[in-house]
mmCIF file of all heavy atoms in Angstrom:
data_model
loop_
_atom_site.group_PDB
_atom_site.id
_atom_site.type_symbol
_atom_site.label_atom_id
_atom_site.label_comp_id
_atom_site.label_asym_id
_atom_site.label_seq_id
_atom_site.Cartn_x
_atom_site.Cartn_y
_atom_site.Cartn_z
ATOM 1 N N LYS A 180 21.287 24.277 9.459
ATOM 2 C CA LYS A 180 20.891 25.204 10.518
ATOM 3 C C LYS A 180 19.578 24.734 11.155
ATOM 4 O O LYS A 180 18.780 24.096 10.491
ATOM 5 C CB LYS A 180 20.788 26.640 9.994
ATOM 6 C CG LYS A 180 19.778 26.865 8.867
ATOM 7 C CD LYS A 180 19.746 28.341 8.498
ATOM 8 C CE LYS A 180 18.669 28.621 7.484
ATOM 9 N NZ LYS A 180 18.534 30.013 7.169
ATOM 10 N N ALA A 181 19.427 25.067 12.416
ATOM 11 C CA ALA A 181 18.284 24.499 13.126
ATOM 12 C C ALA A 181 17.765 25.446 14.231
ATOM 13 O O ALA A 181 18.543 26.197 14.824
ATOM 14 C CB ALA A 181 18.700 23.182 13.787
ATOM 15 N N PHE A 182 16.455 25.375 14.428
ATOM 16 C CA PHE A 182 15.849 26.032 15.594
ATOM 17 C C PHE A 182 15.941 25.101 16.817
ATOM 18 O O PHE A 182 15.706 23.908 16.670
ATOM 19 C CB PHE A 182 14.345 26.295 15.341
ATOM 20 C CG PHE A 182 14.043 27.290 14.276
ATOM 21 C CD1 PHE A 182 13.125 27.023 13.303
ATOM 22 C CD2 PHE A 182 14.665 28.535 14.306
ATOM 23 C CE1 PHE A 182 12.822 27.947 12.324
ATOM 24 C CE2 PHE A 182 14.343 29.492 13.326
ATOM 25 C CZ PHE A 182 13.421 29.193 12.354
ATOM 26 N N VAL A 183 16.260 25.713 17.952
ATOM 27 C CA VAL A 183 16.244 24.917 19.169
ATOM 28 C C VAL A 183 15.454 25.692 20.238
ATOM 29 O O VAL A 183 15.814 26.818 20.579
ATOM 30 C CB VAL A 183 17.709 24.655 19.667
ATOM 31 C CG1 VAL A 183 17.683 23.953 21.048
ATOM 32 C CG2 VAL A 183 18.475 23.808 18.668
ATOM 33 N N ASN A 184 14.397 25.103 20.724
ATOM 34 C CA ASN A 184 13.637 25.766 21.790
ATOM 35 C C ASN A 184 14.423 25.693 23.086
ATOM 36 O O ASN A 184 14.918 24.644 23.467
ATOM 37 C CB ASN A 184 12.329 24.981 22.056
ATOM 38 C CG ASN A 184 11.188 25.507 21.225
ATOM 39 O OD1 ASN A 184 10.634 24.759 20.433
ATOM 40 N ND2 ASN A 184 10.819 26.747 21.415
ATOM 41 N N ILE A 185 14.568 26.857 23.737
ATOM 42 C CA ILE A 185 15.188 26.751 25.074
ATOM 43 C C ILE A 185 14.139 26.953 26.164
ATOM 44 O O ILE A 185 14.324 26.568 27.287
ATOM 45 C CB ILE A 185 16.346 27.765 25.258
ATOM 46 C CG1 ILE A 185 15.890 29.208 25.123
ATOM 47 C CG2 ILE A 185 17.488 27.482 24.272
ATOM 48 C CD1 ILE A 185 16.924 30.217 25.644
ATOM 49 N N MET A 186 13.015 27.545 25.781
ATOM 50 C CA MET A 186 11.924 27.683 26.745
ATOM 51 C C MET A 186 10.604 27.861 26.014
ATOM 52 O O MET A 186 10.583 28.157 24.816
ATOM 53 C CB MET A 186 12.173 28.883 27.651
ATOM 54 C CG MET A 186 12.306 30.194 26.912
ATOM 55 S SD MET A 186 13.011 31.493 27.909
ATOM 56 C CE MET A 186 11.782 31.615 29.190
ATOM 57 N N TYR A 187 9.547 27.663 26.719
ATOM 58 C CA TYR A 187 8.198 27.803 26.143
ATOM 59 C C TYR A 187 7.442 28.831 27.006
ATOM 60 O O TYR A 187 7.732 29.013 28.174
ATOM 61 C CB TYR A 187 7.464 26.454 26.196
ATOM 62 C CG TYR A 187 8.180 25.334 25.502
ATOM 63 C CD1 TYR A 187 9.013 24.474 26.202
ATOM 64 C CD2 TYR A 187 8.068 25.155 24.132
ATOM 65 C CE1 TYR A 187 9.720 23.450 25.574
ATOM 66 C CE2 TYR A 187 8.754 24.118 23.478
ATOM 67 C CZ TYR A 187 9.561 23.286 24.198
ATOM 68 O OH TYR A 187 10.251 22.286 23.566
ATOM 69 N N GLY A 188 6.426 29.452 26.389
ATOM 70 C CA GLY A 188 5.501 30.283 27.134
ATOM 71 C C GLY A 188 6.042 31.680 27.438
ATOM 72 O O GLY A 188 7.179 32.042 27.046
ATOM 73 N N CYS A 189 5.218 32.465 28.088
ATOM 74 C CA CYS A 189 5.566 33.859 28.410
ATOM 75 C C CYS A 189 4.839 34.312 29.666
ATOM 76 O O CYS A 189 3.653 34.015 29.811
ATOM 77 C CB CYS A 189 5.206 34.767 27.242
ATOM 78 S SG CYS A 189 5.621 36.475 27.565
ATOM 79 N N ASN A 190 5.548 35.001 30.535
ATOM 80 C CA ASN A 190 4.920 35.505 31.783
ATOM 81 C C ASN A 190 4.626 36.971 31.738
ATOM 82 O O ASN A 190 4.229 37.542 32.745
ATOM 83 C CB ASN A 190 5.906 35.275 32.958
ATOM 84 C CG ASN A 190 6.018 33.804 33.346
ATOM 85 O OD1 ASN A 190 5.326 32.985 32.768
ATOM 86 N ND2 ASN A 190 6.895 33.517 34.285
ATOM 87 N N ASN A 191 4.862 37.619 30.617
ATOM 88 C CA ASN A 191 4.914 39.107 30.645
ATOM 89 C C ASN A 191 3.575 39.815 30.502
ATOM 90 O O ASN A 191 3.435 40.944 30.950
ATOM 91 C CB ASN A 191 5.889 39.590 29.598
ATOM 92 C CG ASN A 191 7.316 39.192 29.982
ATOM 93 O OD1 ASN A 191 7.679 39.301 31.130
ATOM 94 N ND2 ASN A 191 8.052 38.670 29.033
ATOM 95 N N PHE A 192 2.627 39.193 29.874
ATOM 96 C CA PHE A 192 1.341 39.826 29.716
ATOM 97 C C PHE A 192 1.416 41.269 29.265
ATOM 98 O O PHE A 192 0.836 42.187 29.885
ATOM 99 C CB PHE A 192 0.495 39.707 30.995
ATOM 100 C CG PHE A 192 0.047 38.319 31.276
ATOM 101 C CD1 PHE A 192 0.784 37.482 32.105
ATOM 102 C CD2 PHE A 192 -1.117 37.813 30.689
ATOM 103 C CE1 PHE A 192 0.380 36.156 32.326
ATOM 104 C CE2 PHE A 192 -1.512 36.491 30.894
ATOM 105 C CZ PHE A 192 -0.768 35.672 31.734
#
Side-chain angles (χ1 to χ4, degrees):
K180 60 177 184 175
F182 292 132
V183 174
N184 269 119
I185 62 166
M186 59 195 298
Y187 304 95
C189 180
N190 288 356
N191 293 317
F192 290 94

